[in-house]
Amino acid sequence: MICLACGTMPERLTEMLMDTWTPLIILWITVLPSIYMAPMNQSQVLPSGSSMELNGLSEEQRVLNRSKRGWVWNQMFVLEEFSGPEPILVGRLHTDLDPGSSKIKYILSGDGAGTIFVINDKTGDIHAMKRLDREEKAEYTLTAQAVDRDTNKPLEPPSEFIIKVQDINDNAPEFVDGPYHATVPEMSVVGTFVTKVTATDADDPVYGNSAKLVYSILEGQPYFSIEPHTAIIKTALPNMDREAKEEYFVVIQAKDMGGHMGGLSGTTTVTITLTDVNDNPPKFAQSLYHFSVMEDVALGEPVGRVKANDLDIGENAKSSYDIIEGDGMDIFEITSDSQSQDGIIRVRKPLDFETKKSYTLKVEAANIYIDPRFISGGPFKDTATVKIVVEDADEPPVFSSPTYLLEVHENAAINSVIGQVTAHDPDVSSSPIRFSIDRHTDLERQFNINAEDGKITLATPLDRETNMWHNITIIATETRNHSQVSRVPVAIKVLDVNDNAPEFASEHEAFLCENGKPGQIIQIVSAVDKDDPKNGHFFLYSLLPEMVNNPNFTIKKNEVIVVLFVTLRRHKNEPLIIKDDEDVRENIIRYDDEGGGEEDTEAFDIATLQNPDGINGFLPLLR
């Protein structure tokens, strides 16, 4: 039966492995000086009927391990990164069938056999021929067999075993994700989470302490702390103020071997930035502002800017402005500039230097967004006083009325005064004013104006029947500054006088049948007048003098309607009588003239037409 035996280890290697090999059962076999050792498990079972000899084992141990036939191997170990002038003895194979003669031949096959691991076929010694790296390959599986040297026949079945590369602490921790960047709100309480870092170690995390890491802060105290095993970074000081210091550079170390002396270490950096919170109120740069503005400034134009500074940034620094007191609260307004965060004062109503020369305002700036955690540190607002001086501007003349309405009779004499406009310079200097007519509005030059006093006179005759209204524009100009000009509209109404005789609306030609009946209506006539008296027209109609005594015709008037009747008297003294049952409308010739209005109708008051005592009049005979 083949067994595994180990040699002794150099003292230096022994010290290196003491910590990591403590869980194993170690059997030290002294066979050759300075030979590597390998552990032996006490529960090893041997093939029944066979004998197994381990150099250095007591008889009692050999008896206990010969329970049954078979090869059961413990692991062999070889220290990584170990090198010397000669190959390293890993272990020794031996069978109890070997009487010590040269009849036994040991054969090794499997991972690295013949290259990395070489066996002495006579002694069974296994040597590592190369320097091994556990992080490259942690274990090798090989097969051992004892054969007859002469015949190569197996003396026992082959048996598989493992050579493990024993870890040493040859890898330092690494922060593969570093350097790190993290943020935490300013004024955070102690213990506020900031971030977590992670280091890795290529050494064996299971065997020994080579990969057992402990974290610490090399730079960044006393502001931050790190939990040694979880690598969670937290705040360590209260009330860290971003406005005092915004960024911190922290150096973190990870050390293996549980942080003990002799362990390897790696570092990384964490840049921690304090984010802003609204813990500062706005503050005006000055308590009193002075501005001046011309009185003729356009509405909406800026007068000046005020600024409330806020040490915070972003949304936390935004402020709104208001006018809270003052004698110009209705004259001025203040708005916020979204870019510069200035307060812009603007004019909202016209200014007048002659009325009020200065204003005093009290303005307030207040944060828009308030953090309830810091409200006790308020108020988050500030006030300032603003004095605004109104400066005199050369203003144009001002008319006494925005419009003028004048009336003049159409028969007014040339050069007669029909009205007057007045204007004054509102400035303190009070420049004299000169008046003129905009001739584009009086192309026919029907009016004149006195340049000194603004009296308007008639230049040409007026005719209401030709033009009832005249609209002109009067210009007022400062004598000391001709660029200061004002205009005012003047409407002139021409009043009527009775300067036109009545006219018949049209010429009439009447026809009468020879058998015409007495009282038959021959013609209706009407007259018009170009004049327009206030109480309306009232015309008197009569026949020509030479027709007054004509017994055959007569005229009657009803309102606007004049009717010529046929008399045709049969007897000299027989009056004209219209019977009640006669409808004179059948004999009326309809006539339309302008201006008839609602009185111009086809139906007439029959009773009036039949009344012989109506208005007497005479109508000349129609041609």
Side-chain angles (χ1 to χ4, degrees), residues 278-282 310 312 319 365-367 370-371 374-382:
N278 190 11
D279 58 339
N280 293 281
D310 196 314
D312 298 318
S319 295
N367 275 158
I370 303 297
D371 193 327
F374 306 100
I375 196 169
S376 59
F380 285 83
K381 56 186 176 181
D382 193 24

Side-chain angles (χ1 to χ4, degrees), residues 199-460:
T200 59
D201 195 312
D203 293 321
D204 193 346
V206 177
Y207 195 77
N209 295 323
S210 297
K212 184 177 182 181
L213 305 181
V214 173
Y215 297 89
S216 61
I217 289 184
L218 300 183
E219 294 181 28
Q221 297 171 325
Y223 307 103
F224 301 96
S225 64
I226 189 169
E227 207 287 322
H229 301 292
T230 63
I232 293 176
I233 300 173
K234 300 179 180 180
T235 58
L237 279 183
N239 303 323
M240 285 191 289
D241 191 359
R242 184 199 66 85
E243 289 72 38
K245 185 176 181 179
E246 184 175 9
E247 192 172 85
Y248 294 83
F249 189 75
V250 180
V251 178
I252 304 296
Q253 174 184 268
K255 189 173 183 181
D256 61 16
M257 298 301 292
H260 294 156
M261 185 179 295
L264 303 178
S265 64
T267 61
T268 189
T269 60
V270 183
T271 302
I272 301 176
T273 302
L274 298 183
T275 57
D276 187 60
V277 299
N278 190 11
D279 58 339
N280 293 281
K283 183 69 177 177
F284 279 104
Q286 56 197 76
S287 60
L288 179 62
Y289 293 84
H290 290 275
F291 301 110
S292 61
V293 59
M294 299 298 293
E295 63 174 328
D296 59 351
V297 65
L299 298 184
E301 285 295 307
V303 174
R305 290 173 174 255
V306 298
K307 180 63 176 290
N309 298 311
D310 196 314
L311 296 178
D312 298 318
I313 59 176
E315 296 294 314
N316 296 322
K318 288 185 177 181
S319 295
S320 62
Y321 295 86
D322 289 295
I323 300 175
I324 59 174
E325 292 180 14
D327 53 1
M329 294 182 65
D330 59 334
I331 304 297
F332 301 94
E333 64 181 3
I334 187 169
T335 57
S336 299
D337 187 320
S338 59
Q339 299 298 322
S340 65
Q341 290 299 302
D342 291 348
I344 306 175
I345 300 175
R346 303 179 188 272
V347 178
R348 60 182 299 188
K349 288 186 178 181
L351 301 175
D352 185 10
F353 170 82
E354 289 70 31
T355 302
K356 188 170 179 60
K357 297 178 174 60
S358 66
Y359 296 88
T360 301
L361 308 174
K362 187 175 183 180
V363 297
E364 178 185 81
N367 275 158
I368 297 176
Y369 305 101
I370 303 297
D371 193 327
R373 295 176 299 173
F374 306 100
I375 196 169
S376 59
F380 285 83
K381 56 186 176 181
D382 193 24
T383 59
T385 300
V386 177
K387 290 188 176 294
I388 301 174
V389 175
V390 180
E391 296 184 357
D392 188 25
D394 192 1
E395 300 175 84
V398 177
F399 282 96
S400 60
S401 174
T403 59
Y404 290 88
L405 174 62
L406 306 179
E407 292 183 342
V408 56
H409 285 90
E410 60 180 324
N411 62 349
I414 303 299
N415 295 324
S416 62
V417 176
I418 62 176
Q420 183 179 17
V421 298
T422 59
H424 72 283
D425 182 2
D427 300 318
V428 175
S429 57
S430 187
S431 170
I433 305 298
R434 292 186 64 82
F435 299 95
S436 61
I437 296 177
D438 183 351
R439 290 305 178 182
H440 291 91
T441 63
D442 184 28
L443 296 176
E444 297 179 358
R445 294 182 173 270
Q446 289 188 277
F447 305 96
N448 289 323
I449 190 169
N450 188 303
E452 305 296 332
D453 59 16
K455 290 181 178 180
I456 301 173
T457 57
L458 187 63
T460 61

Side-chain angles (χ1 to χ4, degrees), residues 32 36 111 119 132 190 206 227 297 340 437 441 497 534 604:
L32 297 173
Y36 178 61
D111 289 346
I119 190 170
L132 302 179
V190 173
V206 177
E227 207 287 322
V297 65
S340 65
I437 296 177
T441 63
V497 296
K534 291 183 178 180
F604 302 96

Side-chain angles (χ1 to χ4, degrees), residues 69-121:
R69 186 174 180 83
W71 288 33
V72 179
W73 295 85
N74 280 329
Q75 297 171 347
M76 288 185 181
F77 293 89
V78 59
L79 195 64
E80 70 167 330
E81 304 293 347
F82 181 76
S83 63
E86 297 179 358
I88 303 169
L89 178 63
V90 178
R92 175 175 296 169
L93 298 179
H94 185 73
T95 177
D96 55 1
L97 298 179
D98 188 358
S101 65
S102 59
K103 290 288 186 179
I104 303 298
K105 180 182 178 180
Y106 294 97
I107 299 174
L108 187 66
S109 62
D111 289 346
T115 55
I116 299 175
F117 303 103
V118 176
I119 190 170
N120 187 318
D121 62 354

Side-chain angles (χ1 to χ4, degrees), residues 491-533:
I492 302 173
K493 182 179 182 181
V494 181
L495 301 179
D496 183 56
V497 296
N498 192 8
D499 57 348
N500 291 279
E503 299 177 357
F504 286 103
S506 62
E507 293 186 358
H508 299 86
E509 185 174 4
F511 297 92
L512 178 64
C513 296
E514 61 181 345
N515 60 351
K517 299 178 181 180
Q520 179 179 340
I521 297 174
I522 301 175
Q523 183 71 47
I524 298 175
V525 297
S526 65
V528 295
D529 194 320
K530 293 180 180 179
D531 295 321
D532 186 21

